[in-house]
Structures are given as structure tokens and as C-alpha cells.
Amino acid sequence: MQPPRLILASSSPRRAAILSRLGLEFDALPAGVDETILPGETAGCAAERLSRLKAASPAWADALTLGCDTLVEHDGEILGKPASPDEALEMVERLAGGRHQVYTGIALADSSRLESTFERTQVWFRALEAREIEEYVATGEPLDKAGAYGIQGYGAAVVSSVEGDFFNVMGLPVQRFLELLRRFGWRYAFGTLRPVE
């Protein structure tokens, strides 16, 4: 049996890189959804809801569509992508020297059903000097990332430790993805997908 076509409903190069590292063929077709957080919504619930919207927005026959959404929570406040360099500077200042949580909602859909879950990872930043924060924001890396940092890039220099799924912090929790694939009757076979026996 041929593996299904896999659609990544995202423009994230980090998510695409993870799927590529797994050796999976996929098409990246971003889904345009309103990413506004609803009043009273927790980070985990918001991330999962948005991932479901992304997975459900495009519908292709004989395809599995993967939707993801990543949010950072610090002291009970949800931090999405910064709207400006000044906002990115403020976010990194807040995260410096402390702990925060990264939530990624992940959803998989075909033409008849949709399954979803989310992953939570704790991340610690080392203490940062004001000059370091300014230099990091000046790279431009924080501007398109939840919480204003990318652990796979320059941001690796500000993270002191991670508890949980590292790939979740990049935006695609691999083990949760494999779990969802199995719900649809497919297992990961190191570079391809095969039917669950």
C-alpha cells in the first residue's frame, strides 16, 4: 500500500526541516487562519485549537494534512510572535534568567476525520546582559518566532536547559506526530510510512 500524500499546513522552515530529517516526502501548503487567542484560553488549548484549524483548512483527497501551532507561556501570559523589534526585545528580557513553557498543538486530518493533541516543554534561559539581548534581536531571528527566539539558531546561545521534547520547542513534537500517524493507521519506518499491522 502506498503511503498517503503528506501536507504540511505551515510555512515554517523549522517544521519542514524536521520532516525532511525524518526522510518524509511532503508538500508545504500554508493555511491562512486567524491566530487570535480567545479570551480565557490557555496556551495548550489555544495551540491545539489553532493546529486543528490549520489541519482542517485545506482538504485534499487521499492526503494527510498536518497542522501545528506553537505558543510560549511565561508567568501565565501567552507570548506569540513579536510584532516589532521592540516587542521582541521586551519578550527576551522577560524570559532571560528564568523558566517558561512551550506548547505546540499538533493535528492530523484526512478527508473524513481530524485528530489532535499538544505537547508541553519547559525551557530555561540563562541570565543575559542588555547588550546580548540587543545583539540577538538585531539578528532578526526573533521576529517570526513565538516567544521571540529560535532554539535551533542563534537562540541556542541563550537557552541553558530544556526539560521535555526538544523538537517541540522547534515547533513539531516528533513523538506526538508519530502517535497521530498511528491513529490513522500508519507507522514511521525510518524514512517512509507503512501500514500498522
Side-chain angles (χ1 to χ4, degrees), residues 11-12 20 37 40 60 73 110 112 115 158 166-167:
S11 59
S12 166
S20 294
I37 307 301
W60 289 276
E73 184 183 63
D110 63 15
S112 62
E115 298 275 348
V158 303
F166 174 85
F167 294 105

Side-chain angles (χ1 to χ4, degrees), residues 1 12 38 48-49 55 57 70 96-97 100 108 110 125-126 137 150 177 192:
M1 184 184 297
S12 166
L38 302 178
E48 185 170 355
R49 177 180 63 81
S57 62
T70 301
H100 62 273
L108 202 59
D110 63 15
F125 270 23
R126 65 178 174 84
V137 172
F177 171 53
T192 189

Side-chain angles (χ1 to χ4, degrees), residues 11-63:
S11 59
S12 166
R14 279 81 56 190
R15 294 185 182 118
I18 292 170
L19 290 178
S20 294
R21 287 179 190 174
L22 292 173
L24 296 176
E25 294 185 10
F26 63 94
D27 295 303
L29 301 171
V33 303
D34 180 356
E35 297 188 5
T36 304
I37 307 301
L38 302 178
E41 199 169 30
T42 65
C45 289
E48 185 170 355
R49 177 180 63 81
L50 293 172
S51 74
R52 291 174 67 88
L53 288 175
K54 292 174 182 180
S57 62
W60 289 276
D62 302 320

Side-chain angles (χ1 to χ4, degrees), residues 2 6 22 90 168:
Q2 281 289 104
L6 181 61
L22 292 173
E90 180 186 335
N168 182 51

Side-chain angles (χ1 to χ4, degrees), residues 19-197:
L19 290 178
S20 294
R21 287 179 190 174
L22 292 173
L24 296 176
E25 294 185 10
F26 63 94
D27 295 303
L29 301 171
V33 303
D34 180 356
E35 297 188 5
T36 304
I37 307 301
L38 302 178
E41 199 169 30
T42 65
C45 289
E48 185 170 355
R49 177 180 63 81
L50 293 172
S51 74
R52 291 174 67 88
L53 288 175
K54 292 174 182 180
S57 62
W60 289 276
D62 302 320
L64 286 176
T65 302
L66 173 64
C68 298
D69 192 82
T70 301
L71 295 169
V72 169
E73 184 183 63
H74 179 260
D75 287 343
E77 184 176 349
I78 297 173
L79 306 179
K81 297 174 184 175
S84 67
D86 286 342
E87 189 175 354
L89 193 75
E90 180 186 335
M91 284 187 186
V92 178
E93 284 175 346
R94 291 177 60 186
L95 298 180
R99 179 187 69 177
H100 62 273
Q101 290 74 42
V102 177
Y103 292 85
T104 297
I106 180 168
L108 202 59
D110 63 15
S111 58
S112 62
R113 63 190 270 226
L114 188 154
E115 298 275 348
S116 65
T117 186
F118 71 85
E119 184 65 55
R120 174 180 176 269
T121 302
Q122 296 200 85
V123 180
W124 283 261
F125 270 23
R126 65 178 174 84
L128 299 169
E129 298 175 3
R131 179 182 61 184
E132 290 181 291
I133 297 172
E134 292 169 3
E135 290 171 345
Y136 179 48
V137 172
T139 68
E141 181 178 88
L143 298 179
D144 68 338
K145 297 170 181 64
Y149 75 97
I151 195 170
Q152 72 290 334
Y154 297 127
V158 303
V159 173
S160 60
S161 64
V162 174
E163 182 181 300
D165 185 343
F166 174 85
F167 294 105
N168 182 51
V169 187
M170 285 182 65
L172 203 170
V174 172
Q175 295 305 314
R176 294 292 190 184
F177 171 53
L178 301 185
E179 171 189 312
L180 289 179
L181 283 172
R182 292 189 76 89
R183 292 188 200 175
F184 281 81
W186 297 94
R187 65 178 181 86
Y188 176 65
F190 301 94
T192 189
L193 300 180
R194 292 182 180 158
V196 174
E197 298 164 355

